[in-house]
């Protein structure tokens, strides 16, 4: 009956022809995508003129580079970019399919085909990002509305007219495509909001000036400068055990987009895993039935006939274990996705405080090229690690479930609980004896072979031997036993390393290599380089400092303390004021004198000037050491003109 249903579904899929296919529409979307990018590039003017601008002055610096999104410093439209990534998710997963390219290619050329396919997908979805980030809001909003509306109509039409599929059967496209449709609807609403806001700003004529700092970064710096309260409110159970919300930290759009694609990809691959495993177990049962019929008709041996019930039991247990662990594996991967976000915030905040102790020693300062390249690699690698990690963790869960079923559940079901408990007790006692002897050695050393505490308040005894002769005998006799115990511990160490390594394969923020070999873990190296790049570009203290410098520079353009030097004054007066300010600065900051550089020629006339400068420096050092800071602040320093020096 299942086979007949599958044949009906396949025939329905083959007969369903709605005239529009998502795969075909993806290829045809290159034309409007290139047109939209060309329009935005025409509106964008280049900062630096090229030789073609002199030959064709009519261009006026147009056809500049269109930036899809700022993956480093921008925190605007974070959720809009996240849903734009969500709209891309279905096509990103389509790249893993061999049916993405309608024609066959040689095996050696698949890498080139994947590269071309990735470029095509990136160009098709480029308008969503470009229309969000462009400075020409009206044009970007109108083009974004038209483009997203076309994608919504085609996706919805294809999902409802031909909903069936080969993997999930009935309503496959609706089940798979609804996250993408939701993302496209959100983008449509965002573009409509942009259009309304742009029209209102043009009508009113008010627009907020662009700032280097964000509001949360300013609040973070203010919190650093504020005195820490003596008594703080206790954290709730959720904040202390699960997640503590920080209003002074925001995730960049790159991290949010990566998390959204990972979650949508997990949703899709979980559905595919569930359906494909169900079909696979159905085929295994069909082969088992065929094998049992052959055994019955051919009168095979009793041993072969006795294997049929065991095979049936194994297939049943394996099916139930696989389907049960699907839920736990997907839940584990979802928890990892959110945990990586928490680790990203925790690691960045540690770097902001100057704490690098959580990093391996060789990763305390990665190279600049590695850090910048990690920004480009992280998102793709995190998504791939998450999807592959789900499959690997699912398989590990499946093995543990099988072990639990055959060790505990099936013996009880078959009335062999007593033998199961006996065997389990023997294993537990053996392991307990091994662990107990290890603890016994530690207790013996603690009692007999360590000297007494030097102070009664000490927590532990000092690392100083006592009863040396007895300790040498103890070490000699336990040497032979520790050799035997080391064999089992070696196997246990290998098994635990395999289990932990496979369990954490999707955790790109944690290395699965041994200490000293962390650089062989390419995923962890990418994580370290990425957080260092974000640290150097988004540190709130540095960003606020740069904002202060920019603000002061803009203020100086109107009223500056050095504006008198630009007035129509005599050069001698301007030079005297410069020298006076230089002298006053060196007098208040004598340590700056050692940092000054003098560029002297080899002429003998300038050697005399050098000696005069050195005498002046010595006089300044003596005055600075003998004069207190308060007296200099109260009295106006004399107007001393230093011999010709370099400008400040």
């Amino acid at each position: 009956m299942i086979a007949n249903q599958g044949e009906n579904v396949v025939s329905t899929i083959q007969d369903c022809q709605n005239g529009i296919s998502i795969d075909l529409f993806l290829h045809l979307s290159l034309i409007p995508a290139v047109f939209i990018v060309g329009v935005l590039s025409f509106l964008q003017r280049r900062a630096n003129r090229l030789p073609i601008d002199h030959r064709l002055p009519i261009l006026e610096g147009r056809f500049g580079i269109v930036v899809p999104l700022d993956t480093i410093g921008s925190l605007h439209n974070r959720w809009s970019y996240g849903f734009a990534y969500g709209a891309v998710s279905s096509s990103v997963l389509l790249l893993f399919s061999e049916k993405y390219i309608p024609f066959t290619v040689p095996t050696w050329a698949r890498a080139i085909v994947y590269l071309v396919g990735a470029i095509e997908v990136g160009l098709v979805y480029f308008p969503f990002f470009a229309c969000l980030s462009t400075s020409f809001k009206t044009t970007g909003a109108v083009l974004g509305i038209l483009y997203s509306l076309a994608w919504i109509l085609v996706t919805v039409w294809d999902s409802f007219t031909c909903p069936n599929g080969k993997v999930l059967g009935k309503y496959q496209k609706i089940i798979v495509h609804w996250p993408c449709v939701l993302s496209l609807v959100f983008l449509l609403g965002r573009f409509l909001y942009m259009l309304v806001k742009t029209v209102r700003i043009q009508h009113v004529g008010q627009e907020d000036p662009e700032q280097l700092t964000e509001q949360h970064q300013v609040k973070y710096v203010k919190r650093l400068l504020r005195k820490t309260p003596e008594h703080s409110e206790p954290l709730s159970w959720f904040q202390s055990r699960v997640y503590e919300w920080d209003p002074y930290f925001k995730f960049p759009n790159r991290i949010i987009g990566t998390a959204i694609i990972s979650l949508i990809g997990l949703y899709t691959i979980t559905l595919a895993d569930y359906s494909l495993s169900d079909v696979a177990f159905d085929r295994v049962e069909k082969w088992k039935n065929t094998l049992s019929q052959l055994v019955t008709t051919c009168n095979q041996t009793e041993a072969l006939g006795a294997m049929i019930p065991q095979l049936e039991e194994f297939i049943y247990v394996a099916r139930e274990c696989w389907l049960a662990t699907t839920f736990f594996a997907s839940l584990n991967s979802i928890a990892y996705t959110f945990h990586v976000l928490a680790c990203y915030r925790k690691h960045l905040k540690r770097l902001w405080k100057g704490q690098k102790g959580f990093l391996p020693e060789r990763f305390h300062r990665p190279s600049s090229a590695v850090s910048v390249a990690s920004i480009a690699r992280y998102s793709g690698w995190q998504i791939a690690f998450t999807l592959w990690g789900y499959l690997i963790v699912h398989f590990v869960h499946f093995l543990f479930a099988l072990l639990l079923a055959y060790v505990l559940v099936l013996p009880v079901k078959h009335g062999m609980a007593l033998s199961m408990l006996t065997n389990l007790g023997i294993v537990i006692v053996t392991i307990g004896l091994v662990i107990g002897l290890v603890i016994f050695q530690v207790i013996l050393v603690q009692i007999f072979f360590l000297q007494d505490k030097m102070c009664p308040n000490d927590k532990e005894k000092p690392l100083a031997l006592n009863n040396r002769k007895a300790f040498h005998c103890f070490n000699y006799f336990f040497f032979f036993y520790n050799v035997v115990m080391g064999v089992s511990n070696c196997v246990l160490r290998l098994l635990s390393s395999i289990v932990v390594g496979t369990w954490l394969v999707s955790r790109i923020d944690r290395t699965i290599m041994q200490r000293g070999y962390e650089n062989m873990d390419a995923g962890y190296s990418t994580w370290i380089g990425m957080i260092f790049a974000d640290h150097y570009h988004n540190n709130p203290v540095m960003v606020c400092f740069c904002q202060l410098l920019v603000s002061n520079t803009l203020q100086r353009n109107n009223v500056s303390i050095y504006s008198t030097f630009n007035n129509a004054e005599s050069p001698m007066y301007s030079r005297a004021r410069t020298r006076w300010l230089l002298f006053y600065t060196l007098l208040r900051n004598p340590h700056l004198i050692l940092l000054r550089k003098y560029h002297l020629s080899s002429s003998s006339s300038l050697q005399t000037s050098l000696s005069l400068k050195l005498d002046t420096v010595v006089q300044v050092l003596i005055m600075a050491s003998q004069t207190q800071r308060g007296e200099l602040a109260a009295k106006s320093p004399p107007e001393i003109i230093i011999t010709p020096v370099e400008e400040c």
Side-chain angles (χ1 to χ4, degrees), residues 597-616:
K597 295 182 181 180
Y598 299 92
H599 304 283
L600 303 176
S601 61
S602 59
S603 60
S604 59
S605 59
L606 291 179
Q607 293 180 359
T608 305
S609 176
L610 176 60
S611 61
L612 293 176
K613 291 178 182 179
L614 293 176
D615 294 339
T616 305

Side-chain angles (χ1 to χ4, degrees), residues 359-374:
L359 299 175
E361 185 176 356
R362 64 183 60 194
F363 285 108
H364 280 191
R365 180 62 178 89
S367 63
S368 302
V370 171
S371 298
V372 175
S374 299

